[in-house]
Amino acid sequence: MNVVDKGVEIVAAGAKEYLTFRLGQEEYGIDILKVQEIRGYEAPTRIAHAPAFIKGVINLRGTIVPIVDMRLRFDCEQAEYNSFTVVIILNLRERVVGIVVDSVSDVMELAPEQLRAAPELESSIDAQCIRGLGSVGERMLILLDIERLMSGVDMGLATAAS
């Protein structure tokens, strides 16, 4: 089954696993293969003149990793940093990036019949960064193309090559 949304195809040859996380009341999913590790939140070193959603950088075993607060990136209400707040370290093609989320839920396997095209709505997220919606019982997951989201021009993150 193919789900086509604005020229972006989700070709589902079989089930795919997603790491699910929460931002406020919403639940999101990202491809588990992009996740390097999950860490507790620690205050990063702030970088002058960076966009507000880039909290700063951390030194992760010798690699300088930019930290993006997804609540600020998605224009959510400001949330407190507490014991549930985590940083998901992503290993993307061109860089390692950390994203701050309210909490990590679980790893979920979604079969092709559980995927739906996302509706066209005005959003703080570029519609091309939403792969679709995943449906599990009463739960609805917003499936993100995290690679595309983290490489957007508005992110202010230079590629590793530059």
Side-chain angles (χ1 to χ4, degrees):
M1 171 182 177
N2 291 342
V3 178
V4 179
D5 185 23
K6 293 192 176 199
V8 177
E9 278 188 19
I10 299 175
V11 179
K16 194 169 186 179
E17 290 186 328
Y18 294 89
L19 176 69
T20 63
F21 62 88
R22 293 185 92 53
L23 294 173
Q25 299 301 312
E26 304 303 323
E27 197 167 12
Y28 295 85
I30 57 176
D31 184 348
I32 191 69
L33 298 176
K34 304 289 183 193
V35 176
Q36 179 175 314
E37 64 184 272
I38 300 169
R39 304 170 49 89
Y41 179 77
E42 61 183 68
T45 302
R46 184 86 177 124
I47 302 294
H49 305 294
F53 54 82
I54 297 181
K55 300 303 287 182
V57 296
I58 62 170
N59 184 341
L60 182 65
R61 296 180 294 280
T63 301
I64 302 302
V65 179
I67 303 298
V68 176
D69 190 321
M70 297 300 280
R71 295 170 293 202
L72 297 176
R73 174 68 178 93
F74 290 170
D75 296 327
C76 297
E77 295 176 14
Q78 185 66 28
E80 293 181 27
Y81 295 95
N82 58 35
S83 60
F84 294 108
T85 305
V86 297
V87 176
I88 302 170
I89 304 296
L90 303 169
N91 195 341
L92 307 176
R93 265 181 297 166
E94 299 177 2
R95 71 174 71 86
V96 177
V97 177
I99 59 173
V100 179
V101 300
D102 290 341
S103 64
V104 169
S105 303
D106 52 18
V107 175
M108 197 171 286
E109 189 173 29
L110 296 177
E113 56 273 7
Q114 293 174 291
L115 303 176
R116 302 286 179 265
E120 292 188 31
L121 300 171
E122 288 293 321
S123 169
S124 62
I125 310 170
D126 180 356
Q128 293 184 351
C129 295
I130 299 176
R131 294 193 87 128
L133 300 174
S135 177
V136 180
E138 294 297 313
R139 291 168 71 183
M140 186 68 66
L141 300 173
I142 300 168
L143 303 176
L144 298 175
D145 182 341
I146 198 68
E147 189 121 7
R148 180 174 279 178
L149 183 65
M150 290 294 120
S151 64
V153 174
D154 62 330
M155 286 299 293
L157 297 172
T159 62
S162 54

